[in-house]
Structure formats: C-alpha cells, structure tokens
C-alpha cells in the first residue's frame, strides 16, 4: 500500500508498505480521508506533539474510512461500516486510567504517533477506537471528528455559561471550531482575532460577532467597540508566546484563559504574576480528547457544527511533504489527504 512514512526531521517519504493484517480485536480500515494537523507539522519539524514519535512511522491521526476486514473477536463493527477513529487508545489499568484520567494513560497507543496511522491506503486499529459515521456525515467530515473532539474537551474546561463574552485568538481550523462551540455553549458575544481576511470572513459566517485584524486594529479597543466589555473567556488557538501573552492581557476579571494552541516544547511565555493576581485569572490548557468523540460526531451529523467551510479540496499523499513544509500553503485552510488520489 502507498504510505507517508516519517523518518525524521524534514524527512517524510511516500513509499510502499505491506497492508497490515488486523489482530483478533482489530479492524482493517481503508482510509478515505485523513486531516493534516498542527501536530503533524510539529513532528515533521522534529518537535514533539501530544506524544513522542519514533521513526519510521506512518503519520496521520485524523482519519475516516471503510472497514474492510474485522478480527475474530470484533463484534462492534463489520466490513462495510463507514467509520472514523479516536486515535488515542488507553490501557485501562495504569493509575491514570483507574483514576478516571485516561487521557494521561502511561501506556497510551496513539495512531499516527506511537504506531502507524492514517496517511496510508489502509490502517489496522483497535476496534474499541472505531466510531460509526452518521447517515449525513461524509468521510471528510468524519476525519474532522477528532479535532472537533479535542476542541470539545477544551470548551468543557472553559466553563462558558449562557451570556458570557468569549474571544478566540487565531482563525485556523481549530479557532473556527472554537467560535462555533462557544456559541453552542451559550456565549452571547464571540470575537475572533485573526490577521488573514479570508479567515475572518469565514469566522463571521460561522458566528463571530466581531472579527478583528490585530495587525491593523487596536484589539482591545475593537473589542470594546464590539460590545465585549467584560471578557469571560479567551481561547488562544495559535500556539505562540506572544498570542498567549495577548490572551492574558485581553481577559477580563475572573476570566478563564485557555491556552489551546500547541507551542514548541522549549518555548516560554513572559507574564506578570501581578496581572494574574489582580484579575484573579484561571490559566488552563487542554490535552487531547478524552471521551468526546461521540459528542463531536453527533454535532457534525446533526449539522450543528460546520467542519468543512475551512477545508481545502482533497490532496494526494504525494502532496503531503510539501503541505507540511510550506506554511504559505497551510495558511489557505485545512488540508485533507485522500490516499486513493
């Protein structure tokens, strides 16, 4: 099968690999769509994402497809099922799992990180990680269930209540999902801070009341003009020290600052502890997607969550190294790989 294999920093090769044989509790999925995530970019650049990756590994953790073969012990799905996967498989026996904190599992298997993932024509996965797609959900939408599930976990931690004011910094795929989820959580006013005009326009269509260009406008003044006079939640979706610092500055008293964007492991953020004290801020972060995949799929299938407005036309595996290497390409939107192209 055709596969995109990571061998190290800036070394991703599209090559032939044997089609995996599913074990007794596994299914073989013919991959129809696999999203390119910021984590994949971090790995390509030689950094660490949610988990360390040992080369050679087939990347890709946001994927959907069709079950073509099921192991002897599998009862939850069958060949022909249209499915997506939760790529993070927990052991169930370590201290974290037994304490209800399975996403901190010390023996976690991560498809596309610790083991081969979805940037290939086929992938064998534990049947426990498989979720059937709804009747109205396409493969491209199914591939977006994993990032949507991660965003849901972050939104849950924000504690947004009806009537709250929310600022989202960064209008990429994740930021645009956060705009919508903040609305669904009950926010009365949502602002999007994003320098790219096309992304601001998409954000406006998806529910942002105020869209601000931070390179041309005074962000704090624009928020006040837009009616956001007491910001309850700021969700940072860029992953840069300067935008995290900006999130702290924009937050109102007693606000939650959600540091959702993934920084490089060695980056630091200069902050003034007095500001945290004076505003009584809560600084939070969100790690992967514990038990939110089914909710994400339900929101997608019912049309409550738009996961396609920010997606580019599907690309081949051969295009993947260029996408990972060129920020100018990724700035155009979310890329999905179709291994059959």
């Amino acid at each position: 099968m055709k596969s995109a294999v990571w061998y190290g920093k800036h070394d991703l090769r599209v090559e032939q690999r044997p089609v995996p044989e599913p074990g007794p509790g596994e299914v073989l999925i013919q991959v129809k769509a696999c999203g390119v995530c910021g984590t994949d970019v971090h790995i390509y650049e030689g950094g660490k994402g949610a988990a360390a990756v040992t080369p050679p590994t087939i990347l890709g953790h946001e994927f959907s497809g069709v079950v073509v073969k099921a192991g002897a012990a599998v009862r939850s799905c069958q060949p022909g099922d249209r499915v997506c996967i939760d790529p993070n498989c927990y052991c169930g026996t370590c201290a974290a799992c037994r304490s209800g904190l399975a996403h901190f599992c010390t023996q976690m298997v991560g498809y596309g990180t610790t083991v081969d993932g979805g940037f290939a024509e086929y992938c064998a996965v534990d049947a426990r990680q498989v979720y059937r797609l709804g009747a109205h959900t396409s493969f491209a939408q199914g591939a977006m269930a994993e990032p949507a599930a991660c965003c849901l976990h972050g939104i849950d931690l924000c504690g947004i209540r009806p009537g709250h004011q929310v600022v989202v910094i960064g209008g990429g795929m994740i930021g645009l999902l956060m705009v919508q989820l903040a609305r669904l959580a009950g926010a009365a006013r949502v602002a999007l801070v994003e320098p790219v005009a096309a992304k601001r326009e998409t954000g406006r269509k998806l529910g942002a009341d105020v869209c601000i260009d931070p390179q041309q406008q005074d962000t704090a003044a624009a928020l006040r003009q837009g009616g956001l006079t007491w910001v309850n939640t700021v969700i940072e979706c860029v992953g840069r020290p300067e935008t995290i610092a900006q999130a702290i500055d924009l937050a109102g008293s007693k606000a939650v600052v959600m540091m959702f964007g993934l920084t490089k492991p060695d980056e630091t953020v200069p902050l003034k502890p007095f500001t945290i004290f004076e505003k009584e801020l809560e600084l939070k972060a969100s790690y992967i997607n514990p038990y939110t995949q089914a909710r994400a799929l339900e929101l997608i299938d019912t049309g409550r969550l738009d996961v396609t407005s920010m997606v580019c036309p599907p690309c081949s595996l051969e295009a993947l190294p260029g996408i990972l290497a060129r920020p100018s390409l990724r700035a155009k939107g979310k890329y999905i790989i179709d291994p059959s192209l």
Side-chain angles (χ1 to χ4, degrees):
M1 66 177 184
K2 192 164 59 172
S3 312
V5 186
W6 182 74
Y7 281 89
K9 184 177 181 179
H10 298 162
D11 187 2
L12 187 77
R13 309 174 197 175
V14 178
E15 60 188 29
Q16 292 292 322
R17 282 284 190 92
V19 175
E21 184 66 25
E26 295 182 322
V27 296
L28 182 65
I29 295 175
Q30 182 181 16
V31 179
K32 297 294 187 180
C34 187
V36 180
C37 177
T39 296
D40 297 315
V41 177
H42 279 277
I43 295 168
Y44 178 79
E45 294 291 342
K48 181 183 177 182
V53 183
T54 302
T57 298
I58 299 172
L59 301 184
H61 58 276
E62 304 174 352
F63 63 98
S64 64
V66 178
V67 175
V68 294
K69 195 173 185 179
V74 175
R75 300 290 181 269
S76 57
C77 54
Q78 59 187 357
D81 284 350
R82 300 167 62 255
V83 300
C84 67
I85 72 153
D86 175 350
N88 305 304
C89 189
Y90 314 129
C91 75
T93 59
C94 71
C97 286
R98 291 165 67 90
S99 299
L101 299 170
H103 57 308
F104 298 113
C105 174
T106 58
Q107 305 297 323
M108 188 188 301
V109 172
Y111 294 102
T113 51
T114 68
V115 297
D116 288 341
F119 285 140
E121 292 183 279
Y122 296 90
C123 185
V125 304
D126 191 312
R128 294 177 299 170
Q129 303 308 112
V130 171
Y131 290 77
R132 286 191 184 89
L133 301 184
H136 305 291
T137 302
S138 68
F139 289 119
Q141 290 173 308
M144 296 301 96
E146 190 274 345
C150 290
C151 289
L152 265 177
H153 179 51
I155 284 288
D156 288 346
L157 292 172
C158 286
I160 298 169
R161 299 172 62 187
H164 273 190
Q165 299 179 2
V166 177
V167 175
V168 177
I169 300 177
M173 173 75 179
I174 296 301
L176 294 173
L177 289 175
M178 287 299 197
V179 166
Q180 296 177 78
L181 290 172
R183 276 291 195 200
L184 290 171
R189 298 179 190 267
V190 179
L192 174 64
V193 181
E194 166 56 52
V196 178
K199 293 181 179 179
R200 291 198 302 275
E201 182 57 29
T202 302
R204 196 180 309 277
K205 292 177 181 177
L206 294 175
D209 302 286
V210 180
C211 293
I212 300 168
D213 181 351
Q215 296 178 348
Q216 301 295 327
Q217 297 174 268
D218 180 318
T219 301
L223 288 174
R224 290 193 296 271
Q225 291 169 6
L228 285 90
T229 55
W230 189 321
V231 175
N232 305 100
T233 306
V234 184
I235 307 174
E236 196 279 344
C237 301
V238 181
R240 294 179 182 172
E242 59 268 30
T243 46
I244 294 174
Q246 180 188 34
I248 293 171
D249 287 340
L250 296 177
S253 297
K254 200 64 178 177
V256 170
V257 175
M258 169 54 67
M259 298 174 288
F260 197 87
L262 184 63
T263 66
K264 296 177 181 178
D266 59 348
E267 285 185 323
T268 59
V269 179
L271 58 82
K272 300 175 181 177
F274 187 84
T275 300
I276 311 300
F277 155 75
E278 188 176 39
K279 295 184 182 180
E280 199 173 325
L281 300 181
E282 291 186 65
L283 305 186
K284 293 189 175 184
S286 175
Y287 182 64
I288 65 175
N289 60 332
Y291 311 115
T292 49
Q293 188 90 357
R295 289 167 59 201
L297 275 171
E298 187 69 8
L299 287 171
I300 292 169
D301 193 54
T302 57
R304 301 295 299 280
L305 189 65
D306 183 337
V307 295
T308 55
S309 289
M310 60 290 284
V311 171
C312 297
C315 296
S316 67
L317 280 171
E318 285 79 6
L320 180 58
I323 293 169
L324 293 174
R326 295 174 61 186
S328 60
L329 282 179
R330 299 194 303 275
K332 296 179 180 179
K334 177 78 174 185
Y335 280 89
I336 291 182
I337 301 300
D338 179 349
S340 69
L341 295 178

